[in-house]
Amino acid sequence: MDLFDDLPVEAAAQVLAPGAMLLRAFAWNEAAQLLQATEAVLAQAPLRHMQTPGGYTMSVSTSSCGALGWVSDARGYRYAACDPVSGQTWPAMPECFLALARRAAAQAGYADFRPEACLINQYVPGAKLSLHQDRDERDLDAPIVSVSLGLPAIFLFGGTERSQRPQRYRLAHGDVVVWGGPARLAFHGVAPLEEGAHALLGRRRINLTFRRVRREG
Ligand code: MD3
Ligand code: FE
């Protein structure tokens, strides 16, 4: 008899809420490769602190890769084909990013996920992301896949009304979450990052979010 007979090949997904699936350590084995690809993207499109439409500077620093990148300035939030810093198109999405995002989406029940944008968020201790909804994408039927690397963070997951008190989840290195269905429009954010040092990333957390922006067809 094999002691491991009862374990699934991929650890079971934990359902955080209808449509929100946490895949613990799903990217663990590829983390170093993902990090290396991230650094290559950031060499072409450096991290920057975006301005919110309200005139605040974000504590999180951001870049993108793929056909579209996410930008924010006094004119608002939007997806754009060119990086406003360089005037060039965003770096291509690395193959290892695409493969991981597709595998995670499929595991959560979304076949053939074809993200057009990967938003790269970097947090250093103290950086946070206030409660918000992601609704700059035209395709709200596609899920968002998020990958956490480096220092752990407390992720705040609320309801579809800002007034609902958020639940708190700790997201650690290698954790992947797929947000679709009713969870797609939930309010969410990240509590101020705690001080720490990660073996691979040092004093920071990087979060990759894969998005389908335009509707297909
Ligand atoms: C739930 N990023 O970039 S990832 C963002 O850790 C963002 O950097 C956070 O929120 C971060 O917009 C959270 C998890 C996440 C991403 C998108 C979502 C959760 C989501 C969209 C809808 C619902
Ligand atoms: Fe978000």
Side-chain angles (χ1 to χ4, degrees):
M1 199 197 90
D2 187 327
L3 275 175
F4 300 104
D5 270 353
D6 291 338
L7 288 178
V9 174
E10 304 261 21
Q14 180 187 344
V15 176
L16 302 186
M21 295 240 216
L22 170 55
L23 308 170
R24 281 272 181 229
F26 190 82
W28 181 272
N29 292 130
E30 291 133 283
Q33 188 190 10
L34 294 173
L35 180 62
Q36 194 174 36
T38 302
E39 299 297 1
V41 167
L42 297 179
Q44 300 303 124
L47 291 165
R48 77 292 306 260
H49 293 272
M50 301 261 189
Q51 299 289 124
T52 68
Y56 292 96
T57 301
M58 292 176 68
S59 59
V60 172
S61 58
T62 299
S63 186
S64 290
C65 60
L68 293 169
W70 184 82
V71 297
S72 175
D73 58 23
R75 286 166 50 208
Y77 308 114
R78 64 196 169 275
Y79 284 91
C82 289
D83 175 350
V85 170
S86 66
Q88 303 293 120
T89 56
W90 298 97
M93 201 168 324
E95 272 308 318
C96 63
F97 278 28
L98 268 180
L100 178 76
R102 282 181 72 81
R103 196 160 65 78
Q107 173 87 0
Y110 296 92
D112 200 26
F113 179 47
R114 273 176 287 174
E116 298 168 286
C118 174
L119 175 53
I120 302 168
N121 287 148
Q122 178 174 279
Y123 299 73
V124 296
K128 66 176 172 68
L129 195 59
S130 305
L131 221 53
H132 67 281
Q133 287 174 301
D134 288 19
R135 47 190 321 155
D136 303 324
E137 301 79 21
R138 203 157 314 157
D139 188 346
L140 293 173
D141 298 329
I144 289 180
V145 173
S146 79
V147 181
S148 291
L149 298 170
L151 290 178
I154 300 296
F155 178 73
L156 309 172
F157 184 57
T160 50
E161 307 289 330
R162 191 183 284 280
S163 57
Q164 280 169 261
R165 169 142 44 131
Q167 314 230 79
R168 298 162 72 89
Y169 296 98
R170 183 175 185 273
L171 293 182
H173 182 70
D175 288 349
V176 174
V177 194
V178 181
W179 315 88
R184 181 65 181 76
L185 285 174
F187 279 90
H188 60 277
V190 178
L193 196 75
E194 298 272 359
E195 197 54 73
H198 185 269
L200 272 186
L201 283 95
R203 210 171 149 265
R204 63 198 171 124
R205 166 178 190 255
I206 286 181
N207 183 263
L208 309 173
T209 52
F210 295 93
R211 297 138 190 272
R212 178 85 211 168
V213 178
R214 298 175 287 219
R215 298 180 63 88
E216 301 190 67

